[in-house]
Amino acid sequence: MKYDLEFYTLKKAAQGLRFIAFGWAVGADDKPAEYLLLVNGQPVHAEFKRVRRSNVCEINGLSFSAAECGFFSDTLLDGNIRSLRLIARGNNETQELLHLSDERLKNKVSDTGIVYKTESYTKDNASKMAMVTGWAASLDHHRLSFHIIDESGNEIDSTLRLSAKHDLLRNGLIEKEELLSGFTVYFPFEQNQSYWLQIEDGSGIEKECIESFYIEPPRGRNILSRAKTIIRNVNLENVRKFYSYSRSDGLMKTIRRTLQYQGLGNIDYNKWFLRNRVTEQEIEEQKNTQFSYAPTFSFIVPTYNTKEHFFREMADTVLAQTYPNWELCIADGSDEDHPCRQLIKEYAAKDSRIKYTFLNENYGISGNTNKALELAGGEYTALYDHDDFVEPDALFEIVKALQEKNYDVIYTDEDKFNDRKKVYDDPNLKSDWNPDLFTSHNYITHLFVAKTDLIRRVGGLRSEYDGSQDYDLIFRCIENANGVLHIPKILYHWRMHVSSTAGNPESKMYCYYAGQKAIQGHFDRTGIEATVELAPKPYYGCYKTTYATTGNPLVSVIIPNCENKDVLETCVNSLLNVNTYANIEILIVENNSRSDEIFSYYQKLESEHENIHVIRWDQEGFNYSAINNFGAAHAKGEYLLLLNNDTEVISPDAISRMLGVCMREDVGIVGAKLLYADNTVQHAGVVIGFEGYAGHVFNGTDEDSSGFMMRAKLNCDYSAVTAACLMTKKSIYTQVEGLDETFRVAANDVDYCLKVRQTGHLVVYCADALFHHFESKTRGYENTFEKRKRFDDEVRHFQEKWMNYLIEGDPYYNPNFEVEYGPYILR
């Protein structure tokens, strides 16, 4: 038997003891264990909640049948307790997980309401900084405080960072409002000194020596893990991609990109999916669930000479739905003697919910789908391809989500099914509704569901868009919808085979031109002046949009600066000589410089350029928010570009591209793609939640790396972008009162983005606006205790202000990627 009792505690209760424990155990047959709790040698009633533990299965090489191997128990034990045993049982095996008696039992009993676990203690000899990590929660829901105590009993100055712990939430140990239960405490240490972690909740104290948790810092990168990931992803499709990238980008750049590939966190996706899909027990529970709102769904399927095993799997997975209110509407354009027609009759005879019509001619994909739509009698219609298949809980998950609001449009996550290898691959774990990503490529695809009357009202599918007819339809439906709901679960499988677009992107080039036409049609209907281009090979299916900058409004570029003449000169020269958007004014906000060199440079700039102005912010200390607000107050432009002095324009049209996006009515902020000096990515969007705050995604990858689902290379919406290069409407800047000056150095840009999002405006990452960012040359990094403390204090302030956002999760980041593990990593 494999097992791990990861945590347990005994707390004094009014009568007896409260026993809390969680961990996992599986038998030799890879089936989850059952558990028995013995008190004084006798079995007692105890609830053991099953918990899905996909990460345990991955680490220990367990099959998907072990997915629910985790357990959680919170049990009140009555009476005089002299001994306690916890036993796991499975496959004719028993394993004692815990045995406490006599003094050992007494020593484990605590009378505080604090539950916690210290996980690691590390030291950095270079900076003389130590770090202790773990998690803690209050059973009484009190606020916790953390302290470091030395051998003499003195408190050491320390700084605290809280972070999310979704595993505790899944177990049931904490409530959703207590998600930020992970802790990281930093403090300056002395050699040969021992330290204690002390946690207080106002009514009790827990104290523990942390020396036993010390681990050596890791040395180097995990080359073996990276190699395993690359080997696992060797297949015909990826070999084709490697060859294509090599021809366009060169062999060395392609090899570097391959080595940077992070995939989904070095995980085998097929195994991950099998461990995380709906279980047999959940299927039975779903079948017995009754909903107050129970609409009927019409799957519409155009069939044409469909292979038998494709058809059977397509139809069988509809028949297997745990939610019963559906109908399968088939319009068949097959040859009259094709066996598909007999198959349709066979299935229709089995279930009256299957409707069909045999077409007297082939009307094409759109025409045939419209014929299927004519059969639809459900309140909602789902687009369904004849060679794909769905999960048994697809409709159940949709109906469950519709109980709160009857959305007009719904879409789910999906993956591809490799028909040759019979494995699931290439998951599309999607963002919530993301307009700019959708005009960059059809990230929604499947499963797409909309109100039937809405689909009919917008005119159904249109043959002139064949190949991307669903893309065109989705645009028109969303333009007229009351809202768009995303369900972040893999519920649809797009089959990859020789003739499918999924398996061979170049097999149907007309599809991509139809997609370009669909996007252009959307812009034309909605009155947005823009031009759409098809991205070149190997990025077929992706699109680049250039938005008009009608009237060429004035952009005020605000650059805070202290000393660093050479750094500033690089930035200004690029604005004057590389940038091609002419109507700009440059406002340099001078703050606390002393050298003659920088003031001579200021004088030179102002004398030679009428559109460059130096304004003096003469307050003591550095306050990035106040400095930019001061600059904005002097700006004459309709648009502001907040720009760090350690940046440099790379693409000549960067500012005009950002401006074109920012001029849209629905946009409040636009960020750029920022590269380090070595042309690796410094910024390509910000996700809320990493380390209890926020973090850049795709950081450190190659300039041409596509990132997960192409998001590093395509315009898309995020919750935030960095203010190192941030364009915004001055009217909105004024409306939300600019940057919050209580955030002196950190978190001010993310806070500003969230304030703007509250006004209903989008924050857009503009992938084609390229700048260098020679990060923190002026101010340095957070590499001292004082800087770390200041940063963590501002993060704590951010957490207090935006706790609801942190708890609910970033809508532009799929929740299957838990923020504890870093960007785009599955566990």
Side-chain angles (χ1 to χ4, degrees):
M1 178 175 286
K2 295 181 178 180
Y3 64 93
D4 186 9
L5 178 61
E6 297 169 316
F7 174 80
Y8 75 91
T9 188
L10 288 160
K11 296 293 181 182
K12 285 185 179 178
Q15 296 179 339
L17 295 177
R18 186 175 175 184
F19 174 66
I20 301 171
F22 60 80
W24 60 272
V26 294
D29 58 354
D30 270 10
K31 296 291 177 62
E34 301 291 335
Y35 302 94
L36 178 66
L37 188 63
L38 301 174
V39 174
N40 302 334
Q42 299 298 314
V44 297
H45 175 73
E47 294 288 340
F48 287 91
K49 172 187 172 184
R50 287 202 178 280
V51 180
R52 195 183 289 262
R53 294 296 300 273
S54 182
N55 61 327
V56 168
C57 296
E58 174 71 16
I59 293 168
N60 293 278
L62 304 175
S63 71
F64 64 88
S65 62
E68 292 192 311
C69 63
F71 73 86
F72 172 76
S73 182
D74 185 351
T75 303
L76 188 63
L77 306 175
D78 297 328
N80 180 25
I81 301 169
R82 300 182 303 278
S83 70
L84 185 146
R85 295 175 66 201
L86 176 60
I87 296 173
R89 300 182 297 185
N91 193 36
N92 298 317
E93 304 169 90
T94 62
Q95 177 64 52
E96 186 174 78
L97 304 183
L98 178 67
H99 188 178
L100 298 173
S101 61
D102 302 325
E103 287 302 314
R104 189 160 177 253
L105 175 61
K106 290 179 183 178
N107 291 337
K108 290 294 182 180
V109 176
S110 166
D111 58 2
T112 77
I114 301 169
V115 290
Y116 73 100
K117 183 177 181 180
T118 304
E119 294 177 335
S120 70
Y121 171 42
T122 57
K123 301 174 184 176
D124 178 16
N125 290 318
S127 65
K128 296 298 181 185
M129 289 270 287
M131 177 178 75
V132 59
T133 67
W135 58 262
S138 169
L139 298 175
D140 303 315
H141 309 295
H142 294 160
R143 184 166 184 164
L144 300 178
S145 61
F146 298 80
H147 312 271
I148 299 296
I149 309 298
D150 68 10
E151 292 174 346
S152 303
N154 299 316
E155 182 172 357
I156 303 299
D157 199 10
S158 62
T159 178
L160 171 69
R161 174 80 68 89
L162 298 178
S163 56
K165 292 294 291 183
H166 284 92
D167 53 347
L168 301 183
L169 184 62
R170 275 193 301 272
N171 286 338
L173 181 61
I174 60 174
E175 302 292 332
K176 192 174 183 181
E177 294 73 22
E178 302 166 310
L179 179 63
L180 296 186
S181 293
F183 66 78
T184 301
V185 181
Y186 294 90
F187 62 96
F189 74 93
E190 295 181 8
Q191 294 289 358
N192 304 316
Q193 170 81 269
S194 294
Y195 297 94
W196 279 256
L197 172 66
Q198 184 167 298
I199 306 174
E200 303 177 11
D201 71 348
S203 60
I205 297 174
E206 293 282 358
K207 187 176 180 180
E208 180 176 52
C209 182
I210 59 177
E211 298 303 317
S212 61
F213 299 98
Y214 178 73
I215 57 174
E216 290 286 345
R219 299 177 184 274
R221 305 176 75 176
N222 190 341
I223 301 299
L224 178 61
S225 176
R226 182 66 52 84
K228 285 180 178 177
T229 301
I230 294 170
I231 292 168
R232 187 163 55 231
N233 285 277
V234 172
N235 55 48
L236 184 60
E237 182 183 359
N238 285 335
V239 169
R240 285 198 198 105
K241 287 181 180 178
F242 186 91
Y243 177 71
S244 178
Y245 285 127
S246 298
R247 292 192 65 185
S248 61
D249 296 343
L251 180 61
M252 294 310 297
K253 181 178 280 192
T254 305
I255 291 173
R256 188 165 67 248
R257 175 186 294 167
T258 303
L259 292 173
Q260 288 174 344
Y261 172 73
Q262 296 177 7
L264 302 167
N266 300 330
I267 203 165
D268 184 321
Y269 169 72
N270 183 67
K271 291 180 180 178
W272 181 90
F273 171 71
L274 294 174
R275 290 193 299 264
N276 285 278
R277 74 191 314 184
V278 64
T279 65
E280 291 299 325
Q281 180 180 342
E282 289 169 333
I283 284 173
E284 293 308 311
E285 291 171 357
Q286 290 178 10
K287 287 178 179 178
N288 295 318
T289 301
Q290 300 293 319
F291 291 106
S292 58
Y293 176 58
T296 297
F297 292 80
S298 301
F299 286 95
I300 59 172
V301 185
T303 55
Y304 178 73
N305 293 347
T306 309
K307 291 182 179 180
E308 179 177 352
H309 79 279
F310 290 178
F311 182 92
R312 288 193 184 279
E313 194 160 13
M314 177 276 292
D316 287 342
T317 55
V318 174
L319 287 165
Q321 290 299 300
T322 59
Y323 178 77
N325 297 350
W326 56 263
E327 58 182 18
L328 179 58
C329 304
I330 303 170
D332 183 62
S334 300
D335 300 332
E336 287 190 17
D337 58 350
H338 196 276
C340 182
R341 294 204 163 189
Q342 192 58 41
L343 269 176
I344 293 170
K345 290 178 182 178
E346 175 192 327
Y347 273 80
K350 277 197 240 180
D351 196 305
S352 61
R353 293 172 295 180
I354 298 178
K355 305 175 179 180
Y356 67 91
T357 180
F358 292 139
L359 305 178
N360 55 10
E361 61 179 286
N362 184 1
Y363 295 95
I365 184 65
S366 293
N368 291 359
T369 306
N370 284 335
K371 291 295 183 181
L373 178 62
E374 291 176 9
L375 301 174
E379 188 174 343
Y380 285 91
T381 288
L383 301 188
Y384 195 19
D385 288 351
H386 68 157
D387 50 358
D388 297 340
F389 56 102
V390 291
E391 283 294 290
D393 58 333
L395 293 183
F396 179 91
E397 293 294 342
I398 292 171
V399 175
K400 183 172 73 171
L402 288 173
Q403 299 306 300
E404 294 185 12
K405 177 181 174 179
N406 297 346
Y407 286 86
D408 284 349
V409 169
I410 308 103
Y411 65 94
T412 76
D413 292 348
E414 66 184 300
D415 62 16
K416 296 184 176 72
F417 182 74
N418 188 313
D419 199 52
R420 184 176 60 86
K421 291 186 175 182
K422 306 301 180 188
V423 295
Y424 299 96
D425 194 12
D426 196 15
N428 188 352
L429 297 164
K430 304 168 188 175
S431 159
D432 283 357
W433 171 230
N434 196 320
D436 284 273
L437 185 59
F438 194 60
T439 54
S440 297
H441 78 131
N442 183 4
Y443 80 90
I444 289 178
T445 55
H446 311 292
L447 177 65
F448 173 75
V449 178
K451 288 275 185 71
T452 304
D453 65 346
L454 174 61
I455 294 176
R456 287 174 173 151
R457 193 165 69 246
V458 301
L461 292 102
R462 303 192 291 188
S463 296
E464 60 268 35
Y465 292 89
D466 275 0
S468 287
Q469 69 288 336
D470 53 345
Y471 201 5
D472 170 59
L473 176 65
I474 296 170
F475 270 121
R476 288 180 287 121
C477 285
I478 290 176
E479 288 164 14
N480 293 277
N482 69 356
V484 181
L485 173 66
H486 166 226
I487 297 173
K489 293 195 72 172
I490 299 284
L491 299 174
Y492 191 101
H493 306 291
W494 187 3
R495 191 187 303 271
M496 289 192 293
H497 53 88
V498 175
S499 59
S500 74
T501 309
N504 181 11
E506 294 182 52
S507 64
K508 298 179 180 178
M509 285 299 298
Y510 72 91
C511 297
Y512 308 125
Y513 292 113
Q516 178 184 8
K517 183 179 176 182
I519 302 168
Q520 192 66 60
H522 161 71
F523 287 136
D524 293 345
R525 286 189 302 275
T526 54
I528 296 173
E529 193 176 347
T531 303
V532 182
E533 299 174 63
L534 176 64
K537 184 181 179 180
Y539 304 114
Y540 293 142
C542 298
Y543 304 90
K544 302 287 186 180
T545 298
T546 302
Y547 295 91
T549 58
T550 305
N552 293 328
L554 178 64
V555 176
S556 298
V557 183
I558 300 170
I559 308 174
N561 188 70
C562 176
E563 305 292 0
N564 289 283
K565 181 254 183 184
D566 291 343
V567 172
L568 178 62
E569 188 173 29
T570 297
C571 177
V572 172
N573 284 347
S574 72
L575 289 168
L576 296 174
N577 302 321
V578 179
N579 159 56
T580 55
Y581 187 78
N583 197 15
I584 64 171
E585 64 167 357
I586 301 173
L587 302 178
I588 300 170
V589 186
E590 153 57 33
N591 61 102
N592 300 307
S593 297
R594 296 287 184 269
S595 69
D596 292 338
E597 179 186 42
I598 191 65
F599 286 102
S600 296
Y601 179 60
Y602 290 156
Q603 187 176 13
K604 179 175 182 291
L605 286 175
E606 288 189 296
S607 64
E608 293 179 358
H609 304 280
E610 293 183 354
N611 63 336
I612 297 181
H613 310 285
V614 179
I615 53 179
R616 298 192 64 162
W617 188 77
D618 54 8
Q619 297 185 34
E620 287 297 319
F622 182 82
N623 186 318
Y624 181 83
S625 300
I627 291 168
N628 276 282
N629 290 344
F630 180 73
H634 288 78
K636 298 175 183 177
E638 292 179 59
Y639 296 86
L640 309 177
L641 177 60
L642 309 187
L643 192 64
N644 279 17
N645 62 349
D646 56 349
T647 58
E648 176 186 37
V649 179
I650 299 174
S651 53
D653 61 351
I655 291 177
S656 61
R657 281 192 172 277
M658 294 175 74
L659 178 61
V661 176
C662 202
M663 288 177 69
R664 284 171 24 203
E665 289 184 10
D666 58 341
V667 174
I669 292 171
V670 181
K673 186 171 189 175
L674 305 183
L675 306 178
Y676 292 112
D678 64 357
N679 288 330
T680 58
V681 174
Q682 190 267 337
H683 169 268
V686 173
V687 167
I688 309 300
F690 296 129
E691 296 186 345
Y693 167 49
H696 293 196
V697 289
F698 313 121
N699 185 271
T701 60
D702 189 83
E703 172 191 354
D704 293 326
S705 174
S706 56
F708 182 74
M709 298 308 300
M710 297 297 300
R711 289 187 65 171
K713 287 194 73 71
L714 300 176
N715 284 16
C716 55
D717 304 315
Y718 279 102
S719 288
V721 293
T722 178
C725 180
L726 180 154
M727 185 176 288
T728 186
K729 292 182 173 75
K730 186 177 181 182
S731 59
I732 291 178
Y733 196 88
T734 303
Q735 178 185 341
V736 302
E737 299 180 343
L739 301 184
D740 184 340
E741 296 181 13
T742 61
F743 295 107
R744 297 179 60 86
V745 177
N748 36 49
D749 48 2
V750 181
D751 172 76
Y752 176 70
C753 289
L754 295 186
K755 289 195 297 182
V756 171
R757 277 187 40 75
Q758 281 189 327
T759 68
H761 290 85
L762 296 171
V763 176
V764 183
Y765 158 65
C766 186
D768 291 320
L770 292 178
F771 289 74
H772 276 129
H773 183 200
F774 311 109
E775 187 179 22
S776 297
K777 279 190 175 179
T778 302
R779 216 174 31 83
Y781 293 94
E782 317 300 339
N783 55 0
T784 66
F785 176 73
E786 291 73 22
K787 289 182 178 181
R788 165 63 66 176
K789 184 173 178 59
R790 188 216 68 237
F791 181 74
D792 286 346
D793 286 346
E794 293 192 309
V795 167
R796 206 153 51 246
H797 175 31
F798 176 89
Q799 290 174 340
E800 291 168 355
K801 185 173 182 179
W802 297 104
M803 183 61 73
N804 286 341
Y805 207 100
L806 290 164
I807 289 170
E808 293 300 324
D810 191 322
Y812 297 112
Y813 190 69
N814 192 289
N816 287 289
F817 300 115
E818 292 183 356
V819 293
E820 291 96 313
Y821 304 114
Y824 297 107
I825 294 176
L826 288 178
R827 283 289 186 269

